[in-house]
């Protein structure tokens, strides 16, 4: 299995190399890529730290049963806890799903622009990734006629991420059901990466594939909703118990069957339904500060335009400037701008950038970074940029 380095991971490395102080563990640039929720302390999650907790692995290959029940209830999955498999994050859940379903010669339909992992894994497994385009003129949603045209007996799965990374677009229950119905005509699975679900700005919580389709697979974690990226807990949920068992068998050869007991205890506390949604509400309140700052900046400049994100803390504005997005973002990392955003070319879409406004970026840094982008635009238009 050979994986090829992608432009997105390459630029993540560039940004961290140029903008992260390893010793002080802090950013030295205005970091405007943040997709994560408010970061909570251990004391805010646990009512008293259990000092007698044994720092060992869990003993259940599917995940600690009370944790699986907390996931099922807090996420409103209409399946029993036995249909939830605990993983080491959403990436792990995605990988298990893709690797279980795909063999060399198969086809998978992957949305774009989107997170790069599914396409990379498909190609590494010898499968063909067929691209389903999100289109800005459709509010960064899909043309379902295009999806139907891509389907074939070789297609084993359709991958979507909603709310979307990087566009912030959401799907209605009707739209997700339509995707599932198209997939069902060929017996294909729908892998729905729902890591941003619960962070909607309007319209209520997004629908979940596990609730809509017998071959729907929902993957998620706490890294975006509650900013717990240091907690290596994620999950997949599906109505298809045979598929879940196959994923569980594969999991053994990647990470064994067990999770960290410490991670499980913290995650189970955070996922108690009332507490979870209270924490999400605090996250959204904190994020709204940066969302409003970003919205005002987009509204008041004549270079960047966006489809307002409906969920999550990412956006994908276009810009009217004669500078390739990679060059734009590289120059912004340098003095005097020292601002970190991501090139649209990393997602296969030129003249766009990924702009994040998660609450982990202080409001003053958010404002300063946007001002530096405006300063770069002014210098570029004036011909005052130096080589």
């Amino acid at each position: 299995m050979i994986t090829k380095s992608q432009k997105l991971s390459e630029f993540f490395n560039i940004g961290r190399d140029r903008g992260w102080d390893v010793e002080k563990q802090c950013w030295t640039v205005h970091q405007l890529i943040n997709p994560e929720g408010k970061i909570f302390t251990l004391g805010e999650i646990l009512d008293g730290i259990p000092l007698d907790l044994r720092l060992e692995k869990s003993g259940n290959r599917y995940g600690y049963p009370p944790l699986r029940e907390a996931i099922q209830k807090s996420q409103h999955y209409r399946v029993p806890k036995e249909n939830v498999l605990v993983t080491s994050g959403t990436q792990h859940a995605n990988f298990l799903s893709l690797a279980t379903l795909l063999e060399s010669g198969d086809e998978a339909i992957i949305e774009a622009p989107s997170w790069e992992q599914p396409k990379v894994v498909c190609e590494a497994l010898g499968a063909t990734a067929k691209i389903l385009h999100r289109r800005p003129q459709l509010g960064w949603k899909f043309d379902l006629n295009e999806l139907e045209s891509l389907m074939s007996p070789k297609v084993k799965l359709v991958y979507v991420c909603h709310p979307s990374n990087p566009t912030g677009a959401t799907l209605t229950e009707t739209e997700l059901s339509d995707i599932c119905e198209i997939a069902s005509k060929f017996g294909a699975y729908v892998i729905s990466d729902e890591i941003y679900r619960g962070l909607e700005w309007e319209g209520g919580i997004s629908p979940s594939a596990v609730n809509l389709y017998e071959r729907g697979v929902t993957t998620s974690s706490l890294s975006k909703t509650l900013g717990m990226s240091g907690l290596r807990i994620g999950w997949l949920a599906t109505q298809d118990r045979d598929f879940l068992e196959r994923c569980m068998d594969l999991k053994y050869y990647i990470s064994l069957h067990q999770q960290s007991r410490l991670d499980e205890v913290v995650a189970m506390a955070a996922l108690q339904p009332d507490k979870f949604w209270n924490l999400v509400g605090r996250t959204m309140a904190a994020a709204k500060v940066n969302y409003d700052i970003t919205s005002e900046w987009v509204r008041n400049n004549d270079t960047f335009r966006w489809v307002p994100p409906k969920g999550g803390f990412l956006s994908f504005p276009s810009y009217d400037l004669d500078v390739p997005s990679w060059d734009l973002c590289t120059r912004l990392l340098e003095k005097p701008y020292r601002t970190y955003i991501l090139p649209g070319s990393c997602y296969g879409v030129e003249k766009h950038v990924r702009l994040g406004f998660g609450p982990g970026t202080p409001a003053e840094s958010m404002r300063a970074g946007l001002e530096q982008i405006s300063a770069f635009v002014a210098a570029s238009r004036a011909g005052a940029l130096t080589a």
Side-chain angles (χ1 to χ4, degrees):
M1 181 175 180
I2 300 174
T3 58
K4 298 178 181 178
S5 178
Q6 302 292 301
K7 293 181 72 175
L8 182 57
S9 58
E10 182 181 346
F11 205 89
F12 276 138
N13 292 336
I14 291 171
R16 188 158 285 269
D17 289 346
R18 298 187 186 184
W20 179 255
D21 188 314
V22 176
E23 292 186 0
K24 296 181 179 179
Q25 291 288 289
C26 65
W27 290 102
T28 61
V29 295
H30 302 299
Q31 190 265 98
L32 307 191
I33 69 165
N34 193 348
E36 296 184 354
K38 175 180 170 63
I39 297 174
F40 295 94
T41 65
L42 188 59
E44 291 175 285
I45 304 301
L46 288 176
D47 297 326
I49 300 173
L51 297 180
D52 59 347
L53 177 68
R54 293 171 63 88
L55 297 178
E56 59 186 355
K57 60 190 178 184
S58 168
N60 190 290
R61 61 186 182 276
Y62 298 97
Y64 188 44
L67 172 60
R68 292 156 65 205
E69 184 174 8
I71 291 168
Q72 176 259 324
K73 288 183 176 179
S74 66
Q75 306 306 302
H76 307 300
Y77 297 153
R78 297 195 293 269
V79 293
K81 69 176 184 294
E82 288 77 16
N83 289 59
V84 176
L85 176 66
V86 177
T87 66
S88 299
T90 310
Q91 289 245 94
H92 188 199
N94 286 342
F95 180 86
L96 291 175
S97 300
L98 294 163
T100 295
L101 292 174
L102 294 174
E103 296 179 356
S104 180
D106 288 338
E107 296 177 347
I109 295 176
I110 309 294
E111 64 162 45
S114 191
W115 185 238
E116 67 184 4
Q117 182 208 17
K119 182 174 182 291
V120 171
V121 173
C122 284
E123 293 173 347
L125 293 169
T128 298
K130 302 170 77 172
I131 302 302
L132 174 64
H133 295 281
R134 287 185 175 270
R135 301 189 181 278
Q137 62 269 31
L138 298 177
W140 287 118
K141 296 189 180 187
F142 310 110
D143 180 344
L144 294 183
N145 291 326
E146 180 182 359
L147 173 59
E148 287 190 299
S149 72
L150 293 171
M151 296 298 301
S152 80
K154 287 187 174 183
V155 172
K156 303 303 180 184
L157 65 90
V158 178
Y159 169 88
V160 296
C161 176
H162 85 104
S164 161
N165 172 359
T167 70
T170 58
L171 295 170
T172 66
E173 183 166 327
T174 297
E175 290 165 338
L176 185 56
S177 294
D178 287 345
I179 291 170
C180 292
E181 183 178 354
I182 292 170
S184 71
K185 295 175 183 177
F186 293 84
Y189 286 76
V190 173
I191 299 177
S192 181
D193 183 333
E194 298 172 11
I195 195 170
Y196 297 96
R197 181 171 176 262
L199 302 178
E200 292 78 10
W201 294 103
E202 56 183 64
I205 188 170
S206 297
S208 184
V210 65
N211 294 334
L212 300 178
Y213 179 38
E214 62 271 17
R215 290 194 167 186
V217 181
T218 290
T219 64
S220 194
S221 72
L222 295 173
S223 67
K224 302 302 186 286
T225 47
L226 301 186
M228 295 184 179
S229 56
L231 202 69
R232 301 318 304 156
I233 290 285
W235 58 85
L236 65 83
T238 180
Q239 297 178 36
D240 188 337
R241 279 301 304 274
D242 178 68
F243 169 80
L244 184 143
E245 293 290 338
R246 291 162 62 199
C247 287
M248 189 272 292
D249 288 343
L250 178 60
K251 175 186 171 186
Y252 176 80
Y253 295 102
I254 298 173
S255 58
L256 298 178
H257 286 317
Q258 297 90 355
Q259 311 301 134
S260 157
R261 282 293 294 128
L262 178 59
D263 284 358
E264 286 185 332
V265 167
V266 177
M268 189 169 65
L271 281 162
Q272 297 307 306
D274 288 346
K275 185 164 198 170
F276 175 76
W277 289 106
N278 175 270
L279 294 170
V280 169
R282 291 170 61 186
T283 285
M284 294 301 288
K288 192 173 187 305
V289 176
N290 282 350
Y291 180 89
D292 289 345
I293 290 170
T294 308
S295 296
E296 182 180 10
W297 178 79
V298 173
R299 189 167 53 249
N300 292 328
N301 82 79
D302 60 359
T303 302
F304 288 83
R305 295 286 183 270
W306 72 357
V307 176
K310 301 295 179 61
F313 307 139
L314 295 177
S315 62
F316 203 54
S318 62
Y319 63 88
D320 180 19
L321 200 65
D322 191 23
V323 180
S325 60
W326 187 279
D327 295 345
L328 168 68
C329 295
T330 303
R331 293 297 300 274
L332 282 170
L333 279 169
E334 300 169 357
K335 293 181 179 179
Y337 310 107
R338 300 294 286 155
T339 297
Y340 182 20
I341 58 177
L342 290 169
S345 61
C346 291
Y347 292 88
V349 184
E350 193 46 90
K351 294 299 182 71
H352 285 70
V353 295
R354 191 186 102 172
L355 181 60
F357 48 86
T361 299
E364 58 271 20
S365 187
M366 193 82 217
R367 289 193 183 92
L370 294 172
E371 289 171 0
Q372 290 301 323
I373 296 173
S374 295
F376 176 90
V377 169
S380 177
R381 294 199 187 282
L385 292 177
T386 56

